[in-house]
């Protein structure tokens, strides 16, 4: 007879798989790790950007979907995708 | 069940009193103010913090004086400086954060203090020195600094040193750059006081403190084909006494001990520490929660402690197949792993630390809770860093999380925990019972209650 009692961890796993059926089998595998290694990567090519703008003339360039964190495929990075210049550094409040 | 005897300390459990809190009170926390590292120096007289804005603040313990006997052991600002600035690597299109990942002090060898601070890519050696005298009576320039007319110099005089208000200056003495392709997670000063290691996700480098244009790669776990990548380095530390030994932990919950005498490239470990896992209990989360976020040798050098998502483990260096002690930090989170994965909290990197005698260990949790575990008696405590219990010398009341059934008065349910209030960084004074707890943008200091 099968043991029907699930450990809390396995119950949580079932919950996750129900919400995200396409989630990969190996979370600790290369996709997850490679994303970790890619932290900080930003893309912008002024040549691509200006040529695309010229081609589209007055139309809007396709922008990335809001939930996309990586820039790939049809989306040509715009200056809006670049990290904004950080505000001037001030003294730490711990020293105040 | 309490064990008889045990390591160090008396039989009475340590009671903690509020000492001080540093930082702004307002609810809106600027990201730059988030504390990212806390470290006492070797004597405990200095306490350094680093933040996401790349700034370092150093506090110094006030000496007890007859005129201020109640201000025993207060820490006040000694020096503050901008250690790292945000950078953009144009060649790789990589944004480099200025966040200080780690600070490590060098043992003091002269009047000045030295520390290493690192962000994701660059390590810097800072010299912090005091100046309390200045020279007066120069021959070629007057007191304002203006050059004197040469024909007005009719006689020579010897400049004298006069006292001045104490000035603490921080100056960068070395910059160790361009040695890490991936993000630096650890630095560790060697017991030879001449070398140190820096570790990123895939490599560990050995540096000499005097040499910035060269470093030796001692561990490289990058696979030839990145598709085969299965684990990354999460932390590394030198042994406190054996200058040839270091350990590094991985995202798969393993620790490797390496001996630099055995080979120039320490890809082959000397010891491999891993607790066997019950294959039937394996889940989607198993590997993620087994990832070790911190590894620390005991002061004695006989043990090491690792922190994974739900527990802290103490390992005897002579036993590789399992830890000698396991302490549950917040086991009640095991039934919340799904939502903790969705909000990314499952990837939070908690640190851990030993007290000076290695009898007690401490680590942080959520809701601004932190936990202490007494190894001998197996007593554990859950305490909270909050403004509410921040009255001078107020004794911290132990907190309790209600895990099942009816919530008793003063208990807090798991669902009421604030997962944005994480205590990731804590530090314990090397000799006394004084602890520093970083709660987002505030630094709390607690000391042992004295009767």
């Amino acid at each position: 007879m099968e043991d029907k009692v699930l450990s809390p961890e396995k119950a949580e796993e079932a919950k996750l798989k129900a919400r995200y059926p396409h989630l990969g089998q190996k979370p600790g595998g290369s996709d997850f790790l490679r994303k970790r290694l890619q932290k900080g990567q930003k893309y912008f090519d002024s040549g691509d950007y200006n040529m695309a703008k010229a081609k589209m003339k007055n139309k809007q360039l396709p922008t990335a979907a809001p939930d996309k964190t990586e820039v790939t495929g049809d989306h040509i990075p715009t200056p809006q995708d670049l990290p904004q210049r950080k505000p001037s550094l001030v003294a730490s409040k711990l020293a105040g | 069940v309490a064990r008889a005897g045990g390591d160090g300390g008396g039989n009475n459990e340590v009671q903690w009193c509020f000492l001080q809190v540093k930082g702004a009170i307002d609810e809106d926390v600027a990201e730059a103010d988030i504390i990212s590292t806390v470290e006492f120096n070797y004597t405990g007289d200095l306490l350094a913090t680093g933040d996401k804005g790349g700034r370092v603040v150093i506090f110094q313990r006030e000496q007890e004086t007859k005129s201020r006997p109640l201000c025993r052991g207060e820490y006040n600002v000694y020096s503050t400086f901008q250690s790292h600035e945000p950078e953009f690597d144009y060649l790789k299109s990589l944004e480099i954060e200025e966040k200080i990942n780690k600070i490590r002090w060098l043992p003091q060898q002269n009047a000045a203090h030295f520390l290493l601070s690192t962000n994701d890519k660059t390590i810097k050696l800072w010299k912090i020195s005091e100046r309390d005298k200045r020279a007066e009576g120069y021959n070629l320039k007057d007191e304002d600094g203006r050059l004197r007319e040469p024909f007005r110099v009719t006689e020579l005089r010897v400049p004298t040193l006069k006292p001045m208000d104490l000035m603490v200056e921080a100056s960068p003495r070395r910059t160790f750059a361009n040695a890490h392709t991936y993000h630096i997670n650890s630095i560790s000063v060697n017991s030879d006081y001449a070398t140190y290691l820096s570790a990123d996700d895939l490599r560990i480098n050995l540096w000499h403190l005097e040499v910035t244009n060269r470093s030796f790669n001692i561990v490289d776990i990058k696979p030839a084909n990145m598709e085969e990548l299965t684990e990354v380095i999460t932390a590394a530390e030198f042994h406190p006494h054996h200058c040839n030994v270091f350990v590094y932990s991985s995202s798969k919950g393993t620790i490797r001990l390496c001996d630099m005498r055995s080979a120039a490239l320490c890809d082959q470990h000397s010891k491999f520490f891993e607790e066997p896992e019950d294959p039937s209990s394996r889940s989607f989360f198993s590997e993620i929660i087994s990832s070790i976020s911190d590894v620390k040798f005991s002061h004695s050098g006989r043990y090491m402690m690792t922190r994974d998502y739900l527990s802290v483990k103490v390992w005897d260096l002579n036993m590789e197949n399992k830890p000698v002690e396991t302490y549950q930090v917040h086991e009640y989170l095991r039934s919340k792993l799904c939502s903790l994965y969705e909000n990314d909290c499952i990837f939070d990197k908690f640190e851990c630390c030993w007290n000076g005698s290695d009898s007690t260990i401490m680590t942080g949790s959520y809701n601004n809770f932190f936990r202490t575990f007494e190894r001998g008696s197996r007593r554990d405590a859950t305490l909270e860093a909050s403004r509410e219990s921040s009255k001078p010398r107020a004794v911290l009341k132990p907190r309790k999380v209600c895990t099942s059934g009816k919530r008793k008065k003063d208990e807090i349910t798991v669902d009421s925990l604030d997962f944005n209030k994480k205590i990731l960084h804590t530090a314990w004074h090397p000799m006394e019972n004084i602890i520093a707890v970083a709660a987002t943008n505030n630094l709390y200091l607690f000391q042992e209650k004295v009767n």
Side-chain angles (χ1 to χ4, degrees), chain A residues 9-10 12 19-20 41, chain B residues 55 92 280 334 338 342:
Chain A
E9 205 174 306
K10 288 241 165 91
E12 290 294 296
R19 284 187 210 176
Y20 309 100
Q41 201 78 52
Chain B
R55 300 158 304 187
K92 297 180 187 169
S280 64
R334 200 179 287 270
C338 180
E342 288 178 299

Side-chain angles (χ1 to χ4, degrees), chain A residues 8-10 12-13 15-17 19-20 23-30 32-34 36-44 82-83 86 89-96, chain B residues 22-24 33 49 55 57 77 82 85 92-95 97-98 120 183 201 226-227 229-232 280-287 334-338 342 347 441:
Chain A
E9 205 174 306
K10 288 241 165 91
E12 290 294 296
E13 179 181 30
K15 222 191 277 182
L16 194 69
K17 290 230 163 99
R19 284 187 210 176
Y20 309 100
L23 205 53
Q25 284 305 300
K26 285 178 55 176
S30 24
F32 160 62
L33 290 178
R34 264 186 295 159
R36 174 189 171 136
L37 299 182
Q38 282 226 302
K39 168 193 157 197
Q41 201 78 52
K42 307 283 173 191
Y43 298 99
F44 177 73
L82 290 176
K86 294 205 172 172
L89 301 160
V90 294
S92 166
K93 293 196 182 113
L94 288 185
Chain B
K22 310 279 184 190
D33 291 329
T49 60
R55 300 158 304 187
V57 181
V77 180
Q82 188 75 40
E85 309 248 353
K92 297 180 187 169
S93 287
L94 196 67
E95 189 182 20
E97 272 191 306
E98 68 276 34
D120 281 340
H183 299 103
D201 291 310
M226 283 298 268
E227 300 276 315
L229 181 69
T230 55
E231 70 184 320
V232 294
S280 64
S281 68
R282 190 161 181 82
S283 78
F284 175 87
F285 305 109
S286 299
E287 194 173 305
R334 200 179 287 270
S335 50
K336 300 287 172 192
L337 292 177
C338 180
E342 288 178 299
F347 302 108
N441 62 329

Side-chain angles (χ1 to χ4, degrees), chain B residues 251-263:
Chain B
S251 53
K252 276 185 156 178
T254 64
I255 309 100
R256 288 170 176 82
L257 183 144
C258 302
D259 185 335
M260 296 195 293
R261 293 173 308 187
S262 55

Side-chain angles (χ1 to χ4, degrees), chain B residues 208-371:
Chain B
H208 192 284
L209 286 163
E210 300 290 330
V211 180
T212 58
N213 62 359
R214 199 169 52 220
S215 82
F216 293 100
N217 176 244
I218 52 177
V219 173
D220 188 339
I221 65 167
K222 185 177 179 191
N225 181 358
M226 283 298 268
E227 300 276 315
E228 293 161 7
L229 181 69
T230 55
E231 70 184 320
V232 294
I233 297 168
T234 52
E237 195 179 53
F238 265 120
H239 190 278
H241 311 308
H242 304 304
C243 58
N244 52 300
V245 173
F246 66 92
V247 292
Y248 68 92
S249 58
S250 85
S251 53
K252 276 185 156 178
T254 64
I255 309 100
R256 288 170 176 82
L257 183 144
C258 302
D259 185 335
M260 296 195 293
R261 293 173 308 187
S262 55
L265 190 58
C266 295
D267 282 359
Q268 296 294 317
H269 54 261
S270 297
K271 294 196 185 194
F272 181 74
F273 298 82
E274 186 178 33
E275 181 163 28
E277 192 202 359
D278 176 9
S280 64
S281 68
R282 190 161 181 82
S283 78
F284 175 87
F285 305 109
S286 299
E287 194 173 305
I288 302 174
I289 62 172
S290 73
S291 177
I292 292 170
S293 48
D294 195 16
V295 64
K296 292 264 171 51
F297 277 104
S298 63
H299 293 91
S300 65
R302 180 156 168 215
Y303 300 96
M304 65 178 176
M305 164 168 58
T306 57
R307 175 68 155 97
D308 51 70
Y309 190 61
L310 298 178
S311 68
V312 192
K313 296 177 181 172
V314 175
W315 302 77
D316 184 323
L317 294 188
N318 298 316
M319 189 157 74
E320 297 166 60
N321 61 345
K322 62 177 197 273
V324 287
E325 296 150 36
T326 300
Y327 302 94
Q328 302 301 335
V329 181
H330 38 217
E331 178 67 16
Y332 47 79
L333 294 184
R334 200 179 287 270
S335 50
K336 300 287 172 192
L337 292 177
C338 180
S339 37
L340 292 169
Y341 179 86
E342 288 178 299
N343 62 20
D344 275 352
C345 283
I346 205 174
F347 302 108
D348 284 336
K349 295 179 175 60
F350 292 94
E351 291 175 7
C352 52
C353 60
W354 299 85
N355 71 339
S357 61
D358 299 333
S359 64
T360 311
I361 59 183
M362 172 168 65
T363 190
S365 178
Y366 294 103
N367 208 69
N368 277 355
F369 286 173
F370 57 100
R371 304 263 284 138

Side-chain angles (χ1 to χ4, degrees), chain A residues 49-59 61 76:
Chain A
Y49 172 67
N50 285 301
M51 286 197 52
K53 241 172 76 163
K55 248 192 230 175
M56 301 291 274
K57 293 192 177 105
N58 287 323
K59 292 186 219 151
L61 281 174
I76 293 170

